[in-house]
Amino acid sequence: MHYHVARDGQQLGRISEAELKAGLHDGRFLPTDLAWREGMSEWTPIRDLNLVANAEVVVPKIAVSAPRAAVAASAPAFSPSGPSGGAPAFGPAVPQGGSGLATTSLVFGIVSLVTCSLAGIGALVAIITGHMALGRIDRSRGAIGGRGKAKAGLIMGYISLLLVGIAIVASLAVPVFARIQEKGIVKKQMNDARQVHVACLIYAAENSGKYPATLEELVEKKMLDAALLDGLDDVKPTGWEGEKGFDYLGAGKNDTALGETPILVSRSEGKKGQRIVVHHDGSVAEEKLEE
């Protein structure tokens, strides 16, 4: 009884059963090599033929050191319709299209990287078709190529999916960080404005209850740090509209006549129309002023 033996899509020759058993022992043939003989419907791995179990090992007719060409010399011609002797074409039962899926995975993997608008969809297509292609290639026992394309498509697909995830997280995080930054600036300006008001009270106590004509007078009299005043003039909260700085409304007024009049009011306002307001009594808050 003789078998046609093939490996990696190439036929090794027409081998007798005894020689095949011996070749399994000496390493010339592998359990994963495919074999076919008359009466078999398809190529089958040698390990599934049960040739070694309970069988006496026969010395091979071809020496172990014989070149591969000598083994394959007697192999029937390989053609799409099958070798002479009736053997089926190598791998006919394997589903075709694996290489096409691999190409699809590669193309969509590239698209998912270079086209941000299709990144999510392209990545999913690349991953799904890549896994399908690898599955078909594995089942084909080497008859279908494209493993490299499938792996490349998978890698790019997963990278694109990761980038999409990062973009989604960033889109959610940026507004949160902006709000935190806005709150931080508002809090600092409120604290600085409160210090300006304290300096105004000290000035009024030393000048018959009158507030300074300008805030620069507080700096000249060493009652206020110039850097603090510059900070009020050069900064506005993130997202607020309007000019930087504060309007000083207590110029030359008597501290007993101010009543509820604000002393300092920010020129910029938030999305709800609120401004930073410092009152005569020292209270500081975000308020929407009446026109």
Side-chain angles (χ1 to χ4, degrees):
M1 183 180 300
H2 289 75
Y3 289 86
H4 292 277
V5 180
R7 180 187 301 164
D8 298 330
Q10 300 294 325
Q11 294 200 45
L12 304 182
R14 187 168 178 268
I15 312 298
S16 68
E17 182 174 338
E19 185 179 342
L20 192 56
K21 292 177 182 179
L24 286 172
H25 282 286
D26 60 34
R28 277 189 300 116
F29 301 118
L30 303 175
T32 55
D33 290 342
L34 302 181
W36 177 90
R37 63 174 173 79
E38 292 185 9
M40 295 174 60
S41 60
E42 61 181 5
W43 292 86
T44 303
I46 294 177
R47 64 169 175 264
D48 296 336
L49 299 178
N50 298 321
L51 296 177
V52 179
N54 301 321
E56 180 181 355
V57 177
V58 180
V59 178
K61 296 179 180 179
I62 300 177
V64 176
S65 59
R68 178 59 58 84
V71 178
S74 59
F78 181 80
S79 66
S81 60
S84 59
F90 182 67
V94 178
Q96 299 300 314
S99 59
L101 287 172
T103 302
T104 301
S105 176
L106 179 62
V107 170
F108 275 92
I110 295 173
V111 170
S112 66
L113 282 178
V114 300
T115 310
C116 296
S117 60
L118 297 177
I121 299 175
L124 290 176
V125 174
I127 291 171
I128 293 173
T129 55
H131 281 296
M132 291 175 63
L134 288 178
R136 290 191 175 187
I137 292 170
D138 290 339
R139 291 193 298 272
S140 74
R141 301 165 183 165
I144 298 178
R147 182 179 297 275
K149 292 181 180 180
K151 287 185 176 180
L154 277 174
I155 292 173
M156 288 187 286
Y158 279 117
I159 291 176
S160 299
L161 204 59
L162 177 62
L163 294 177
V164 170
I166 293 175
I168 293 175
V169 172
S171 65
L172 297 175
V174 168
V176 175
F177 287 133
R179 182 61 177 167
I180 293 174
Q181 185 180 33
E182 175 189 346
K183 287 292 185 180
I185 295 175
V186 168
K187 185 176 181 179
K188 183 179 185 305
Q189 287 203 310
M190 291 174 71
N191 290 334
D192 290 348
R194 185 178 288 109
Q195 293 185 52
V196 172
H197 176 258
V198 171
C200 288
L201 291 178
I202 296 174
Y203 181 94
E206 296 180 358
N207 292 273
S208 303
K210 288 188 177 181
Y211 276 64
T214 64
L215 296 180
E216 284 71 17
E217 289 185 41
L218 299 176
V219 176
E220 294 174 0
K221 293 182 177 296
K222 308 297 182 181
M223 296 179 179
L224 188 67
D225 185 22
L228 186 147
L229 191 59
D230 291 340
L232 283 178
D233 289 336
D234 294 338
V235 179
K236 72 175 181 178
T238 304
W240 284 33
E241 296 181 355
E243 298 180 3
K244 299 177 182 179
F246 282 72
D247 288 326
Y248 173 53
L249 306 179
K253 295 182 179 179
N254 191 290
D255 60 351
T256 59
L258 287 172
E260 297 297 326
T261 303
I263 301 300
L264 291 170
V265 178
S266 64
R267 298 189 184 103
S268 60
E269 62 180 28
K271 295 180 180 179
K272 297 181 180 180
Q274 76 276 18
R275 297 172 184 263
I276 299 175
V277 180
V278 182
H279 292 279
H280 171 61
D281 60 2
S283 61
V284 183
E286 293 181 63
E287 298 179 6
K288 186 175 182 179
L289 299 179
E290 297 181 1
E291 297 181 358

